[in-house]
Amino acid sequence: MTFLIRKSEERGQNQIDWLKSYHTFSFANYYDPNQMGFHHLRVINEDWIAPSKGFGMHPHRDMEIITYVLDGALEHKDSMGNQSTIKPGEVQVMSAGTGVLHSEYNPSSTESVHLLQIWILADRNGVTPRYDQRVFSDEEKHNRWRLIVSKNGEQGSLWIHQNANIYATILDPGVKLTYPFKPDRRAWLHVVKGEIILDGQSLKTGDGVAIARSETMEFQANTEAELLLFDLM
């Protein structure tokens, strides 16, 4: 196995009065020419939005945008007429395509919302914008991989315009989980929470790993852990 660890504390950071963000890859005012994404994976932002605050209407184009809420709730509105609230266990996909406006707002007056926003480059420009949202329960992810996003919407996953699979799992302490790896694919692992061991290396909340040239990966949870695995071309 060949892999490169991106430690949580190495991520770009941005903090204003209502928003705290960690950027795995270059984003907004954080720029590192060595961290411009991984294959089609362009953005992993970990955000905390203060109560009654959020992002006003802003545009996107030609990007597949995935929102993964960890705590709290996020209110979504867009120029396609969609309005929804995303809670833990729910995943949202938006294909920006030819152009879309959307806002993200924390409707709670007392609690922050904690989320991951993920951008994946679309496999072609100019597609018709679309929106979808689905619940993936903790039981579905418990000590096993649950496909949550894919190219063709396999196994009840949300689909995107890119040859990419995103898997989620929640592991009990001590549990080992393997992933069969195809030689023509690459993977990015994001540790959502907890601590795991990968090939003898300890990884913790917020760490990321670029993985290549591996037939099988084995992940062992030292604590309760939640992981996202991006299987990419």
Side-chain angles (χ1 to χ4, degrees), residues 4 6 55 58 61 64 70 79 82 86 95 98 100-101 115 129 142 160 167 171 173 181 207:
L4 180 66
R6 172 83 159 139
F55 301 93
H58 57 282
R61 292 181 63 91
E64 303 296 300
L70 303 173
S79 55
N82 298 297
I86 313 161
S95 297
T98 54
V100 66
L101 297 169
L115 65 127
H142 186 218
I160 59 171
Y167 293 87
L171 300 177
F181 198 76
D207 287 350

Side-chain angles (χ1 to χ4, degrees), residues 93-153:
V93 163
M94 186 172 66
S95 297
T98 54
V100 66
L101 297 169
H102 80 133
S103 65
E104 298 161 299
Y105 180 76
N106 181 359
S108 173
S109 61
T110 58
E111 298 180 354
S112 295
V113 57
H114 179 199
L115 65 127
L116 296 175
Q117 187 166 99
I118 298 152
W119 294 5
I120 293 177
L121 295 168
D123 58 11
R124 61 190 184 278
N125 292 339
V127 302
T128 301
R130 56 177 291 275
Y131 175 91
D132 203 356
Q133 182 176 331
R134 196 161 300 169
V135 175
F136 298 94
S137 69
D138 287 355
E139 289 75 19
E140 294 178 79
K141 296 176 278 189
H142 186 218
N143 294 329
R144 57 185 169 182
W145 296 114
R146 176 56 165 110
L147 184 65
I148 61 173
V149 175
S150 68
K151 170 73 173 177
N152 298 312

